[in-house]
């Protein structure tokens, strides 16, 4: 009866109505974990939710379809610290709309349709620390729009259409993201942010960095200049001594040098993706003693001996390789498509140690390949020296006769290193010390691939001595082998005239057929020949080449080629009578001997079968009926196959001390058509085209 006293009845009633009270304080179509945290997600309403509790601190109102804001929407929310209005349909921010939110620290207005920022858009937000305006349509910002945001720590404006940026005087700002806008390179007067730690300038079309800006940002640790038009390492980076993270990906940078990173001794994370790098010289990263994370994805690496040190260096220094699944070899063909980090030193085709014997002593040494005098980007022709000049070690590209006769002479592994058709007109393929392809051309040819035939010259007095001269080449494409279903393209000149292109875009169409839609393929720049297959016979094709990933404009080279007609099958039998050649006589004799042996074997088998039917000849080593029944039972109970006994074996049957070995099961090999989806597109194209 004590439960029905007035005090206990009041307590019981309070417990019953408490859940209803909490639910009643939560706005319609919202979820409230507590009165301070309210989530209004996907309400499908064009206005803010009503009856928000005054105690609300975190309010998430994203993906609602809100297209306008009013001051009264926030008048009662004086304690609000977090406001998320992202992914709505806002086109503007009314002046002073957030004026009552003096306690607000975080404001997210990203992924809306905002077109401009006015003078008082953020008036009253004196304690705001993070402002996110990315992925809008902002074109203009009032110069004094951020003047009251003295406590701002992060400002994100990436993914807009801003072309004029106001001067930022934000003394506490730590992060600024201006990526993917139409802004010019900012200078020290534009960013008066002395404590800035992270600056992101990706996709602005920058060709250089302001040295004064880098010097003024003495606290800068993170810099992203990816997807710009930097043709060289910006000298201004030498002033950014405090950098810890640097992103240089997707820039048309030329060859990288160690001195480019000489002042970045504190760098820990480096991104060199999509720079058309073919490798790194040994010891390249010695200038970066603190490096622990390296990304070098989507580069056409030449996995040759000069790069053999790289995988071991990653393991020894415990370097984390970013995106290893797309960090793959592009050349030579034996390594194409393989993950670079998984290769071992033996996979790079390095020469092994050899032993040289002499009359006086025995010594062990390792001979290195001869040094090349030019790199792959240089157009070369080999011409004889003046016979009066003495040969030097720099121009002596061949071994001496004594070394040629030595059994330990180094032989470069060209058989699987060099493509068979990369050097033309009798040129010899080899690799220089940087792993670049180099062709040793005969005296009457020139060009990087010996593709140019010159006038015949008199043989030099000293055929071992040549000098290097530069010749002019054309940049057009051509074809040198056409069949009824394929066209082989010659891209030597096109690649030679553009040594820094990331790849070639081939566009071809059938001008003779009803379907003239263009087909595009991507070809890596290290393959100077490419064959278009699966074409229609007796048709004219237009083929154009343009640099991959660059504006087309006037850098297109086109040609036309006609495929050969297919031969119709002949229905009339024809006989060709000719005298047997001397090479066919041994073949005919061999065939006759084989046929004679087969006939004799058949006669022996038939005679043995006939003798097996007589009772007196049952014990001549032939299988008994019990053995034959055992084999039949083996086939019937599922352990063998009557038509294909090699699929499922039967056990060995022993009779009379002899064993009848049944065929073993064939090993099941996995099909090799499981193409890895992580292989770069240019490798997939190459395999499918082949």
């Amino acid at each position: 009866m004590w439960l029905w006293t007035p005090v206990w009845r009041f307590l019981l009633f309070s417990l019953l109505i408490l859940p209803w009270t909490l639910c009643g304080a939560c706005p319609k179509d919202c979820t409230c974990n507590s009165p301070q945290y309210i989530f209004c997600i996907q309400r499908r309403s064009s206005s803010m939710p009503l009856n928000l509790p005054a105690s609300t601190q975190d309010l998430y109102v994203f993906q609602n379809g809100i297209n306008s804001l009013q001051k009264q929407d926030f008048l009662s929310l004086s304690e609000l610290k977090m406001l998320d209005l992202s992914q709505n349909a806002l086109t503007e921010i009314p002046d002073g709309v957030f004026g009552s939110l003096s306690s607000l620290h975080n404001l997210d207005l990203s992924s809306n349709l905002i077109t401009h920022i006015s003078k008082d858009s953020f008036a009253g937000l004196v304690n705001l620390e993070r402002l996110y305006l990315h992925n809008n349509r902002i074109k203009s910002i009032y110069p004094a729009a951020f003047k009251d945001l003295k406590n701002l720590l992060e400002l994100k404006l990436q993914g807009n259409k801003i072309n004029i940026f106001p001067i930022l005087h934000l003394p506490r700002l730590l992060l600024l993201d201006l990526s993917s806008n139409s802004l010019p390179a900012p200078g020290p007067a534009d960013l008066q942010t002395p404590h800035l730690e992270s600056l992101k300038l990706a996709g602005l079309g920058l060709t250089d960095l302001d040295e004064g800006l880098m010097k003024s940002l003495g606290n800068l640790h993170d810099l992203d200049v990816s997807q710009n038009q930097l043709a060289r390492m910006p000298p201004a980076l030498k002033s950014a001594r405090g950098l810890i993270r640097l992103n240089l990906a997707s820039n048309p940078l030329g060859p990288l040098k160690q001195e480019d990173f000489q002042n970045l001794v504190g760098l820990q994370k480096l991104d060199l993706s999509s720079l058309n790098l073919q490798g790194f010289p040994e010891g390249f990263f010695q200038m970066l003693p603190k490096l622990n994370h390296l990304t070098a994805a989507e580069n056409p690496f030449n996995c040759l001996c000069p790069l053999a040190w790289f995988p071991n260096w990653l393991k020894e220094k415990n370097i984390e390789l970013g995106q290893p699944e797309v960090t793959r070899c592009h050349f030579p063909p034996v390594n194409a498509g393989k993950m670079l980090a998984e290769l071992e030193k033996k996979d790079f085709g390095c020469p092994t140690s050899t032993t040289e014997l002499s009359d006086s002593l025995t010594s062990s040494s390792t001979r290195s390949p001869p040094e090349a005098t030019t790199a792959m980007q240089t157009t070369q022709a080999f011409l004889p020296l003046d016979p009066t000049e003495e040969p030097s070690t720099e121009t002596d590209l061949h071994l001496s006769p004594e070394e040629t006769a030595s059994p330990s002479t180094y032989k470069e592994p060209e058989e699987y290193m060099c493509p068979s058709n990369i050097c033309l007109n009798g040129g010899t393929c080899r690799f220089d010390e940087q792993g670049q392809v180099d062709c040793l051309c005969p005296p009457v040819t020139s060009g990087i691939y010996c593709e140019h035939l010159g006038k015949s010259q008199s043989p030099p007095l000293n055929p071992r001595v040549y000098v290097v001269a530069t010749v002019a080449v054309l940049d057009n494409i051509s074809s040198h082998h056409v069949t009824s279903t394929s066209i082989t393209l010659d891209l030597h000149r096109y690649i030679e005239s553009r040594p820094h292109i990331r790849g070639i875009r081939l566009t071809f169409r059938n001008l003779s057929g009803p379907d003239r839609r263009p087909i595009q393929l991507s070809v890596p720049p290290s393959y100077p020949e490419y064959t278009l297959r699966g074409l229609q016979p007796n048709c004219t094709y237009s083929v154009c080449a343009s640099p991959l990933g660059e504006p087309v404009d006037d850098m297109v080279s086109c040609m036309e080629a006609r495929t050969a007609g297919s031969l119709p099958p002949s229905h009339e039998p024809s006989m060709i009578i000719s005298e047997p050649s001397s090479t066919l006589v041994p073949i005919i004799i061999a065939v006759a001997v084989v046929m004679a042996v087969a006939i004799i074997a058949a006669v022996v088998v038939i005679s043995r079968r006939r003798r097996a039917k007589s009772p007196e000849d049952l014990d001549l080593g032939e299988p008994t009926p019990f053995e034959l029944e055992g084999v039949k039972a083996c086939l019937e109970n599922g352990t063998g196959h009557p038509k294909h006994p090699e699929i499922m074996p039967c056990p060995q049957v022993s009779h009379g001390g002899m064993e009848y070995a049944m065929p073993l099961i064939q090993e099941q090999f996995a099909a090799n058509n499981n193409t890895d989806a992580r292989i770069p597109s240019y490798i997939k194209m190459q395999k499918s085209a082949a």
Side-chain angles (χ1 to χ4, degrees):
M1 298 297 295
W2 58 272
L3 290 175
W4 296 105
T5 60
V7 176
W8 287 106
R9 278 186 295 178
F10 175 78
L11 292 175
L12 181 62
F13 178 77
S14 300
L15 292 174
L16 291 174
I17 68 172
L18 182 59
W20 179 86
T21 303
L22 293 176
C23 295
C26 193
K28 183 181 179 182
D29 298 329
C30 297
T31 301
C32 303
N33 293 341
S34 68
Q36 289 80 26
Y37 303 93
I38 299 178
F39 297 86
C40 304
I41 305 172
Q42 297 180 348
R43 290 172 51 249
R44 296 183 180 179
S45 174
S46 60
S47 60
M48 286 286 294
L50 303 176
N51 302 321
L52 292 169
S55 60
T56 303
Q57 294 184 2
D58 291 4
L59 177 59
Y60 299 87
V61 196
F62 55 87
Q63 294 183 354
N64 279 232
I66 299 174
N67 54 27
S68 63
L69 299 175
Q70 299 180 3
K71 292 183 180 181
Q72 54 265 32
D73 294 334
F74 309 101
L75 288 177
S76 61
L77 303 177
S78 59
E79 298 183 11
L80 193 65
K81 296 181 179 180
M82 169 70 193
L83 176 58
D84 188 344
L85 291 170
S86 62
Q87 304 180 52
N88 282 291
L90 297 173
T91 57
E92 63 176 355
I93 304 174
D95 291 344
V97 69
F98 303 121
S100 61
L101 303 179
S102 58
S103 299
L104 192 67
H105 290 170
N106 305 306
L107 176 59
D108 190 347
L109 293 168
S110 62
S111 301
N112 277 279
L113 306 175
I114 302 171
T115 58
H116 66 280
I117 302 297
S118 63
K119 177 182 178 181
D120 297 321
S121 294
F122 306 113
L125 299 178
V126 293
N127 290 311
L128 191 66
E129 295 180 348
R130 294 169 182 84
L131 177 58
Y132 299 157
L133 293 168
H134 52 278
N135 297 333
N136 276 280
R137 301 178 181 179
I138 300 174
K139 295 182 179 179
S140 61
I141 299 177
Y142 189 80
F146 306 120
K147 68 176 182 178
D148 295 333
L149 307 181
K150 300 299 183 181
N151 293 313
L152 197 64
L153 301 177
E154 296 183 9
L155 178 58
K156 294 185 178 181
L157 290 164
Q158 69 269 26
N160 283 286
K161 301 179 180 180
I162 307 171
N163 50 28
I164 299 178
F165 193 72
I167 296 176
L168 289 182
H169 183 67
L170 300 173
R172 298 189 59 190
L173 192 67
L174 300 178
L175 183 147
L176 176 61
D177 195 339
L178 301 175
S179 303
S180 302
N181 280 284
S182 301
L183 293 170
D190 301 321
L191 302 182
Q192 299 178 18
T193 54
H195 294 92
L196 193 67
E197 293 182 353
S198 178
L199 178 60
K200 301 183 183 299
L201 303 175
L204 297 183
L206 304 180
T207 58
D208 205 351
L209 293 177
D210 189 278
E211 186 174 357
L213 176 64
M214 293 293 104
K215 290 181 178 180
S216 66
L217 301 178
N219 199 40
L220 190 64
H221 299 326
D222 183 6
L223 178 61
D224 184 354
V225 289
S226 61
Q227 302 178 22
N228 280 290
Q229 298 299 320
L230 301 175
R232 59 169 185 166
M233 279 288 290
L237 288 180
K238 296 180 181 180
S239 302
R241 299 175 181 270
L243 277 184
I244 296 177
R245 294 174 294 275
L246 176 60
N247 190 344
L248 295 168
S250 301
N251 275 285
L253 292 175
L256 298 178
K257 303 176 182 178
Q258 280 186 306
E259 52 266 27
D260 295 332
F261 302 92
Q262 62 182 358
N263 291 338
L264 306 180
V265 293
L267 205 62
Q268 299 179 15
K269 186 174 182 179
L270 177 62
D271 193 338
L272 300 176
S273 302
S274 302
L275 297 184
N276 200 28
L277 300 176
Q278 297 182 4
F280 304 103
E282 188 169 359
F284 179 79
F285 298 101
Q286 289 181 354
M287 305 293 295
L288 308 176
K290 296 184 179 181
L291 189 68
N292 55 40
H293 189 284
L294 174 66
T295 304
E298 299 181 354
N299 281 300
F301 286 114
N302 283 350
C303 294
L304 304 171
C305 190
L307 195 58
W309 67 274
F310 185 71
N312 292 333
W313 173 78
L314 293 175
K315 298 175 184 177
E316 293 175 358
K317 298 296 183 180
N318 197 22
I319 304 295
E320 180 182 356
L321 184 65
Q323 304 182 41
E325 67 280 356
V326 288
T327 308
R328 296 177 178 266
C329 299
H330 177 66
F331 190 82
V334 69
N335 287 332
K338 295 181 180 179
M339 294 176 62
L340 178 57
E342 295 183 353
L343 294 183
E344 299 180 2
K345 187 175 182 179
K346 61 182 179 63
D347 299 323
F348 290 84
C350 295
T352 57
S353 298
T354 58
T355 303
E356 296 183 358
L357 299 177
S358 63
D359 296 336
S360 58
L361 53 85
T362 302
S363 62
S364 177
S365 64
T366 302
R367 184 180 300 278
S368 59
E371 295 184 358
T373 57
T374 55
M376 181 178 179
Q377 290 82 359
T378 306
T379 305
Q380 304 173 10
F382 294 92
L383 304 175
L385 283 176
D386 193 322
T388 61
E389 297 181 4
E390 292 294 330
S392 63
T393 56
E394 295 181 356
T395 58
D396 193 357
L397 301 182
H398 295 271
L399 298 175
S400 62
E402 292 79 4
E403 290 175 321
T404 305
S406 173
S408 60
T409 300
Y410 169 81
K411 182 179 181 181
E412 193 169 2
E414 305 178 354
E415 298 178 358
Y416 67 93
M417 288 291 192
C418 287
S420 59
N421 56 354
I422 195 169
C423 294
L424 306 177
N425 299 319
T428 303
C429 178
R430 65 179 186 177
F431 294 90
D432 61 16
E433 58 183 1
Q434 286 81 26
Q436 303 283 356
V437 177
D438 187 19
C439 291
L440 183 63
C441 302
V444 295
T445 63
S446 62
I448 190 171
Y449 302 106
C450 312
E451 68 271 19
H452 301 294
L453 288 173
K455 296 181 180 179
S456 59
Q457 304 174 359
S458 58
L461 298 178
N462 188 354
R464 298 186 295 106
V465 183
Y466 296 90
V467 294
V468 179
T470 303
V471 297
V473 294
L474 301 177
D475 61 352
N476 60 316
I477 62 174
S478 60
S479 62
H480 59 79
H481 184 67
V482 180
T483 67
S484 60
T485 58
S486 66
I487 298 175
T488 300
L489 303 176
D490 186 349
L491 306 175
H492 290 87
R493 299 173 181 174
Y494 193 85
I495 296 174
E496 182 181 354
S497 62
R498 300 168 178 84
H500 299 299
I501 60 174
R502 297 170 54 187
I504 303 174
R505 181 190 297 108
L506 291 179
T507 305
F508 66 97
R509 66 181 73 196
N510 188 353
L511 302 180
S512 303
D515 187 1
R516 299 191 177 186
R517 291 177 297 179
I519 301 175
Q520 288 190 353
L521 297 173
S522 297
V523 178
S526 59
Y527 281 79
E529 293 186 359
Y530 188 81
T531 302
L532 302 176
R533 304 182 187 277
L535 307 180
Q536 299 295 325
N538 199 24
C539 292
T540 301
Y541 282 85
S542 172
V543 185
C544 294
S546 60
L548 187 63
E550 298 180 14
V552 177
D553 298 335
D554 57 346
M555 302 179 70
V556 179
S557 179
C558 297
M559 57 154 287
E560 290 187 5
R562 186 173 185 85
T563 55
S566 58
L567 296 176
S570 177
H571 300 285
E572 297 182 1
S574 60
M575 297 182 61
I576 301 176
I577 302 176
S578 61
E579 294 294 332
S581 63
S582 59
T583 58
L584 294 179
V585 174
I587 299 177
I588 295 174
I589 295 174
V591 171
V593 172
V594 172
M595 293 180 62
V597 172
I599 294 173
I600 295 173
V603 172
V604 172
V605 171
I606 294 174
S607 62
R608 293 185 66 181
R609 287 185 178 179
R610 290 178 178 177
R611 290 197 303 270
K613 295 181 180 180
S614 58
E616 59 274 10
D617 295 329
L618 287 176
D619 198 12
L620 295 177
E622 295 294 84
T624 65
F626 295 101
E627 294 171 351
L628 296 177
E629 286 295 326
V631 175
K632 180 179 180 182
C634 175
L635 296 174
E636 292 177 350
N637 61 14
T639 60
H641 196 284
K643 293 183 179 180
H644 304 284
E646 68 278 3
I647 296 180
M648 192 65 70
C650 293
Q652 293 183 350
V653 180
S654 177
H655 176 70
M658 300 179 61
E659 292 184 353
Y660 297 88
M662 295 300 175
L664 299 175
I665 186 170
Q666 291 184 348
E667 183 178 358
Q668 301 298 318
F669 293 96
N672 60 357
N673 58 353
N674 298 325
T675 304
D676 194 342
R678 297 173 295 181
I679 298 180
S681 59
Y682 57 81
I683 298 176
K684 293 183 179 179
M685 174 277 300
Q686 178 188 355
K687 291 185 177 180
S688 61

